[in-house]
Amino acid sequence: MAAHENAHGVLDRGRKVTTDRETEPARAHGVNDAERRPVDTPSFEAASDYRRVRLDLIPLRRRDKMPADKRWQERSYDQGEVLERARRDGLNLGVRLPADVVVVDVDPRNFPAGRDSLAELADAFGLPLASAPHVLTGNQSHPGHHFYFRKPAGAVLLDSVEGFEGVEFKSLGRQVVAPGSVHPTGGLYRWAPDSPPLHDMPDLPARLVEAARRPDRPKKQAAGAGELTPEQLAKTLEQLDPCDFGEKQHDRWRDLMMACHFATNGEGRQEFIDWCMGDGDYRGQEWKVGRRWDSLHADRDEAVTTATLQMFLQEVGGGIAPPDAAEDFDVWDEVEPIETRARRRFLNVNDLKALPPPRWLVPGLLVEDSVAAIYGAPESGKSFLALDIAMAVAGGVDWHGRRVTDGGVLYVAAEGASGLGKRVRAWEIDRGIDVGKFPLWLDHGEINLAAERDGGVRAFVSDVVEELGPLRLVVIDTLNQTAAGADENSAKDMGRYIASMKRIRDETGATVVVVHHSGKDPGKGMRGSSSLLGAMDTTVEVIRDKEMRAITVTVHKQKDAEREPPMRFNLERVDLPGEPDWNGRPPSSLVLRPTVMVDAASDFGGEATANGLTALACELGAAGGTVKASELLDAATKRLGMSKSSAQRAVADKIPEGRIDAVRASWDGRHFWLWCERVGKHSTAPKVVHVEAAS
């Protein structure tokens, strides 16, 4: 049989149809089971697919589905080291799922006799299976399926929907086995030949999201709620014989389940299911046990608490297992260590060419997945700039003519949080956009990113990931207010601050921007240790003019692209609804409006567009050789977000009168000479802009 590649570039060696009842539902969805031969060595040719969509790979045990490390949900993994470790020790790999991805895990063994739960689910909710990236699990006798979908990051789902036995939903806090791993039965997890690429995940239908949405858990007031970790529960249950809680002792089993649910605040689901499978009465009924566990999320009866678990333990002379001391430390647990250290992984030229290019978050200004600083003197307008960028990214709105990559934004307002509300309202009025549904969140709690002993950074990052999911941008305003007690001139203290910024970047997938102050000598750049400048991918300086009506924004460092010429913005007043002040003036705030916007750099795959004022003139006049100044002003206000007065000043500043002083400009890869002339001899005669091709 001829081999061919699927969308992930993985060779498939052909397929044969089996007659197992469990494979019939798969064939109904266009999937024939592949020929299966026992294998022992994992294969991870498609591992890079996951990094391209910001999914983390984690090490699993050899020929197993279980994570190799404790507290794997919270660890920060270097993906190169994970892959090297798996290759060296023959480990499987898992995919750690974020809040906005859900895997539909199909186990046909749990389908009711004569039914196809997957087909029924697809029909009931319009589940687009054909367009979902699809992994065939490696179970030799009962093959299953993993289908990848996107979902709203804030929607927390139950693990299953009643009536569709054999279908589970796995998302934040869970992991699934990556293709290339070896199943305990000897089969290989692999991409289905007709699977779309991983980055083309479709959305989980909204009706299914609502049907599977987990009810809000009641706020438990009883002492002990959530006091055990899932790992503690697993060790604790080892002291109990599941056969003593079989079907004939259903009431004892139910009370134990409720006690375990209470003790872990619902997080010990998989550990309880695994323990139940030690009793033959429950074997093969994982789905039913999970459904019973899920039903407790809406149960407000607190009569069964951790005390019930302790009672059962006392009957056998046991007790609650102590927490693992290692959980207090961020260590790397090796499985069957072969070497005392991991080998360094070197990239060859082909690996280097295969690396995905960097992409703009805001063209010409900020790069995705980077750390950056916006700095300036007090009251320079640096926070106005940071918030202006944050609003554009959150709303998917062009940033003064530049197409941003949109997504969730967190603004850590450690300084001046009370004034942000007025600025947001002014931005909303100025843009004419309802910002009520923007995925933008504000945090104004205390955080110390330069503390010696974590300073709450780990808990902060964990809360952000759990509550908000993946983000595009995190703004920290300011460095001084989030580095209490630190010496800004100390490389050691600032090294800890930089490490915290990078941790936030790595865990959230966001570009992390810190707002900082310039030094006493503005010509020397940012205040503090030179290690700050060295660590930043981008630095942006904001200078306010003497009249306090405009700012100049200058990119001083851009690690992966050429720096742009400075950009200039007016700070213009916007009146807000509300009672006037004592002087009879309405409440107001300031917004940024561009005067002259230069072309954005185009190093990153052509994403940036020629959208400066001169480029706009070239575009409008390229066909006929001239463009009316009035038409250029109108286009500048509509396409570049400029006010009419700002556009008039920009034309006067940027495009000279007379052919002898013509300015050279570029658009669409071509070069032009630009100059203005009046149509008529009178000083008030209208102007036209001449656009002449340059050799």
Side-chain angles (χ1 to χ4, degrees), residues 450-524:
E452 287 191 37
R453 296 185 178 275
D454 187 66
V457 175
R458 182 183 301 184
F460 169 78
V461 174
S462 178
D463 288 346
V464 169
V465 171
E466 183 174 347
E467 296 295 328
L468 307 183
L471 300 171
R472 286 290 186 193
L473 177 64
V474 174
V475 177
I476 304 168
D477 190 0
T478 61
L479 185 148
N480 177 262
Q481 295 298 315
T482 54
D487 181 357
E488 291 181 5
N489 293 305
S490 166
K492 182 178 180 181
D493 287 0
M494 290 301 96
R496 286 194 294 267
Y497 195 97
I498 294 162
S500 295
M501 287 184 67
K502 291 182 177 179
R503 181 170 192 159
I504 296 170
R505 176 200 64 188
D506 293 343
E507 293 289 331
T508 64
T511 295
V512 181
V513 177
V514 63
V515 179
H516 191 29
H517 296 283
S518 53
K520 293 181 180 179
D521 182 355
K524 294 183 178 180

Side-chain angles (χ1 to χ4, degrees), residues 59 61 67-75 77 85 96 231 235 323-327 329-335:
R61 297 172 186 171
D69 300 327
K70 298 173 182 176
R71 300 182 72 84
W72 56 270
Q73 296 100 326
E74 303 170 15
R75 291 178 184 274
Y77 286 103
R85 179 181 173 190
R96 182 164 57 184
E231 293 84 358
K235 290 183 179 180
D324 190 338
E327 292 176 357
F329 303 93
D330 193 11
V331 297
W332 182 282
D333 293 336
E334 292 285 354
V335 175

Side-chain angles (χ1 to χ4, degrees), residues 344-678:
R344 185 180 297 275
R345 182 170 180 259
F346 299 97
L347 300 180
N348 60 32
V349 175
N350 289 328
D351 293 333
L352 186 62
K353 291 193 298 181
L355 290 176
R359 298 197 308 166
W360 288 115
L361 178 70
V362 179
L365 197 70
L366 295 175
V367 180
E368 283 192 3
D369 197 23
S370 66
V371 291
I374 296 174
Y375 68 95
E379 298 185 2
S380 62
K382 53 188 180 292
S383 293
F384 278 103
L385 176 64
L387 183 63
D388 192 54
I389 294 168
M391 295 298 294
V393 172
V397 179
D398 283 5
W399 187 71
H400 306 292
R402 304 179 183 214
R403 186 179 59 194
V404 304
T405 302
D406 65 305
V409 176
L410 172 64
Y411 200 105
V412 180
E415 181 174 288
S418 59
L420 284 177
K422 290 176 62 178
R423 296 180 186 181
V424 169
R425 291 196 297 274
W427 191 96
E428 182 179 41
I429 292 171
D430 185 60
R431 294 296 189 98
I433 299 172
D434 181 4
V435 303
K437 294 184 179 180
F438 279 17
L440 184 142
W441 295 273
L442 175 72
D443 177 78
H444 54 86
E446 292 186 3
I447 180 70
N448 189 346
L449 301 181
E452 287 191 37
R453 296 185 178 275
D454 187 66
V457 175
R458 182 183 301 184
F460 169 78
V461 174
S462 178
D463 288 346
V464 169
V465 171
E466 183 174 347
E467 296 295 328
L468 307 183
L471 300 171
R472 286 290 186 193
L473 177 64
V474 174
V475 177
I476 304 168
D477 190 0
T478 61
L479 185 148
N480 177 262
Q481 295 298 315
T482 54
D487 181 357
E488 291 181 5
N489 293 305
S490 166
K492 182 178 180 181
D493 287 0
M494 290 301 96
R496 286 194 294 267
Y497 195 97
I498 294 162
S500 295
M501 287 184 67
K502 291 182 177 179
R503 181 170 192 159
I504 296 170
R505 176 200 64 188
D506 293 343
E507 293 289 331
T508 64
T511 295
V512 181
V513 177
V514 63
V515 179
H516 191 29
H517 296 283
S518 53
K520 293 181 180 179
D521 182 355
K524 294 183 178 180
M526 289 190 297
R527 188 171 73 190
S529 170
S530 60
S531 62
L532 278 171
L533 175 61
M536 295 298 159
D537 298 304
T538 304
T539 61
V540 180
E541 183 182 25
V542 181
I543 298 176
R544 198 161 183 171
D545 67 3
K546 294 180 180 180
E547 290 78 22
M548 305 295 283
R549 296 178 180 176
I551 63 173
T552 300
V553 176
T554 305
V555 177
H556 281 294
K557 180 182 179 182
Q558 194 67 277
K559 189 176 74 171
D560 292 315
E562 291 184 8
R563 289 178 293 152
E564 290 193 2
M567 296 168 276
R568 186 174 171 84
F569 297 87
N570 286 336
L571 286 168
E572 301 191 8
R573 172 180 168 138
V574 172
D575 290 335
L576 304 175
E579 294 294 326
D581 62 15
W582 63 271
N583 203 26
R585 292 176 301 187
S588 65
S589 186
L590 300 177
V591 296
L592 298 185
R593 289 177 180 159
T595 55
V596 177
M597 295 294 293
V598 300
D599 296 352
S602 57
D603 292 27
F604 295 175
E607 288 187 23
T609 55
N611 47 32
L613 182 72
T614 55
L616 185 57
C618 294
E619 178 186 350
L620 296 175
T626 60
V627 57
K628 292 180 180 179
S630 58
E631 292 179 2
L632 178 59
L633 295 177
D634 184 57
T637 58
K638 292 179 179 178
R639 294 172 56 178
L640 302 183
M642 303 171 71
S643 67
K644 189 169 184 178
S645 60
S646 297
Q648 287 173 333
R649 288 193 298 269
V651 170
D653 291 342
K654 195 69 175 177
I655 304 177
E657 286 198 37
R659 175 69 178 81
I660 193 170
D661 294 320
V663 64
R664 186 181 174 94
S666 301
W667 171 75
D668 197 26
R670 292 178 288 170
H671 304 288
F672 300 87
W673 291 107
L674 300 179
W675 72 95
C676 285
E677 280 186 356
R678 294 190 182 277

